[in-house]
Every structure is written in C-alpha cells, then in structure tokens.
Amino acid sequence: MGMARITILDPTAPAPDTDSDPGPSVGALDGRRVGIRSDRTWRSFEWVADEWERLLVAEGAHVRRWVAGNRIGDEGERTRLELQEFADTIDLAIVGLGN
C-alpha cells in the first residue's frame, strides 16, 4: 500500500514590508518642546514614558505629557480640542512604541 500524500497549510501571514527609514532627524533637543502622548489602555507605557522623559530632560528638552480621553460624544470633542492644543504647543511628539 502506497503512502498517502497530505498538504499542510500554514495559516501565518507573511511578514509585512517595513520601511527602515527613521525619518528626519530632530536635531538637538536642548530647548525643544517634546510631547509624550499616551492613553489609559496600556499602563506599562507610562513606565517607558517616565524613562524617556527623564532622558529628554537630561538633554535639555521641555517635556509635556498628555493622556488622550474618549473619542466619542462630549468627551470625544474635549479630547479633540485637547489634542489640538497639545499639538500646537510642542515641537515634536512621541505617540507610541510602534509595536
């Protein structure tokens, strides 16, 4: 009796194409206004943000933290206005870990 052939399907998706270009340099941080945006969904990000803030301040940056609120209803409108004000008062922003 011959050996039966089977096909094994791999359900994993291929790795995404990535762009390794980090973007433009922000230059020296001394005197720059750096915003760190977070939300309440991933609390451990706050530990990372604390470390970044410490390092940014050591480089002479002025750090402003902002925690985003809800995106719907009255609170959503408040969040949108706060985000605009946040963006208007900083030179650059860290908005996540990129994972």
Side-chain angles (χ1 to χ4, degrees), residues 1-60:
M1 189 188 293
M3 200 173 229
R5 291 189 171 246
I6 62 170
T7 301
I8 299 174
L9 302 177
D10 182 355
T12 58
D17 291 333
T18 59
D19 180 1
S20 60
D21 180 5
S25 172
V26 298
L29 293 172
D30 190 30
R32 300 293 296 272
R33 298 169 303 173
V34 180
I36 301 176
R37 179 248 184 236
S38 60
D39 55 41
R40 299 194 194 316
T41 59
W42 192 29
R43 294 299 186 128
S44 59
F45 180 79
E46 295 301 318
W47 295 333
V48 174
D50 289 344
E51 288 301 308
W52 284 342
E53 182 174 0
R54 183 181 59 77
L55 295 169
L56 289 163
V57 168
E59 291 293 320

Side-chain angles (χ1 to χ4, degrees), residues 64-79:
R64 177 165 180 212
R65 307 265 294 253
W66 179 65
V67 178
N70 254 336
R71 314 300 193 276
I72 58 172
D74 290 340
E75 189 173 345
E77 181 61 19
R78 186 170 48 254
T79 296

